[in-house]
Amino acid sequence: MKHAPLEKHPENPGRILVLAESLDKQGFTVEYVSRSVDVQEARRIALRIHSKGYIQYLEKLSRSNYSIIDEDTFLTADSLELAYATFQTSYDLALSLSEPVFYVSRPPGHHAGRGGKAMGASSQGFCLLNNAGAAVLGFKDRSFSRIAVMDFDVHHGNGTMEIFYEEKILQVDLHQHPDTLYPYTGYPFEIGAGEGYGFKANLVFNPFTGDDVYLRVLSMVQELLADFNPEALVVSAGFDGFLNDGLADLRLTEASYAALGRLIRNLNTHALVILEGGYTVGLTKGVEAFLNGLTGREVNYEPSRTMSSVRGEEAVRINEKTISKIREKALCKGGWVGEGGKV
Ligand SMILES: [Zn+2]
């Protein structure tokens, strides 16, 4: 509640209330956990993925009551401590969980790169510290070697992608085509560098894409992840691709979010799902369908159709090509072979 914007802003405390009310209606027990954080400990972990200069910059801004980092991103005097709490909790959950956990939290994190803005983006898109990155660190500290990240927020997870771009962490990011949406990064040809070459799949969807096309790509993602056989999975869960959620142009509905939940369930691995975006209807209908999938409740949803003017077949082919490139490159480097993966 203390990380609140002064003016009308999509990323506000009301999001959690809307989501909690929806979970309550679905029969989930909603429990608010207030948690104090050891800031020095959280800071030490944050410095493993963020630059010292960036952390010092946030600390400096925290001395004011209210600061604007860029046109999207604000900070109150309490925001950094709260961001540390979310960051540390993501790390701790990854360190200890044995079954899938959906961590509902603010502020979001996937646009925060090493030094704040990532991959040339114009803003940090509401994000301060990278929570998905913290979860990856937690899983690493459990000595898991095959770690995957799936980001299904409608915006490219440019911060997380930048942080691990040269590491052998399989990252699958499904997002609206970067020519048409913030942060304007995450093209299919970007497949990683150095040790991470061949481990990054940027899967892109044109505006007005519906469940029909998205579900076909998801089945390829399911196969890729199953073959990779991750010991641990971090999910950046954004519900802003839901039809009319407000910030993007995809036409996804319950069918896609239920399938995403099922995909995670079927992987049957250590999975930490962290809330990123989702601002209106995505937080109610999208989350409900997602949790039905994740918890194995079978509900039949009618898939929405891609608008006829959108070249859906072309999108399926482009993403198919990216996924086959990932298989080929990662295999050439011996990335998955001999490490317990099934390929
Ligand atoms: Zn988003």
Side-chain angles (χ1 to χ4, degrees), residues 110-111 126 153-156 181 238-240 247 276-279:
H110 74 150
H111 295 305
F126 324 154
D153 187 281
V154 75
H155 304 94
H156 181 228
L181 189 69
F239 297 87
D240 41 7
L247 296 191
E276 301 284 357
Y279 302 95

Side-chain angles (χ1 to χ4, degrees), residues 24-44:
D24 189 48
K25 273 191 202 149
Q26 291 167 60
F28 288 99
T29 307
V30 179
E31 190 183 347
Y32 289 89
V33 182
S34 144
R35 178 177 196 276
S36 61
V37 63
D38 180 341
V39 168
Q40 283 315 312
E41 170 69 2
R43 187 182 193 273
R44 195 181 56 75

Side-chain angles (χ1 to χ4, degrees), residues 77-111:
D78 297 301
S79 294
L80 183 57
E81 190 178 335
L82 293 167
Y84 274 135
T86 302
F87 184 88
Q88 178 82 54
T89 305
S90 304
Y91 175 83
D92 290 346
L93 283 169
L95 211 53
S96 61
L97 65 79
S98 54
E99 56 185 351
V101 170
F102 178 32
Y103 178 34
V104 175
S105 57
R106 296 178 58 245
H110 74 150
H111 295 305

Side-chain angles (χ1 to χ4, degrees), residues 170 172 201 219-229 323 326-327 336 343:
L170 179 64
V172 179
S219 71
M220 295 189 262
V221 170
Q222 166 94 50
E223 207 181 318
L224 178 77
L225 286 170
D227 287 346
F228 184 66
N229 191 22
I323 289 173
I326 298 304
R327 285 179 180 281
W336 301 356
V343 176

Side-chain angles (χ1 to χ4, degrees), residues 193-239:
E195 283 281 296
Y197 186 65
F199 281 77
K200 316 294 156 186
N202 284 297
L203 307 178
V204 296
F205 300 91
N206 292 322
F208 314 115
T209 295
D211 295 320
D212 49 359
V213 167
Y214 200 84
L215 288 171
R216 284 171 66 190
V217 175
L218 263 193
S219 71
M220 295 189 262
V221 170
Q222 166 94 50
E223 207 181 318
L224 178 77
L225 286 170
D227 287 346
F228 184 66
N229 191 22
E231 289 171 283
L233 174 72
V234 176
V235 180
S236 271
F239 297 87

Side-chain angles (χ1 to χ4, degrees), residues 240-252:
D240 41 7
F242 202 97
L243 177 66
N244 295 332
D245 187 67
L247 296 191
D249 313 293
L250 299 192
R251 299 170 56 82
L252 306 183

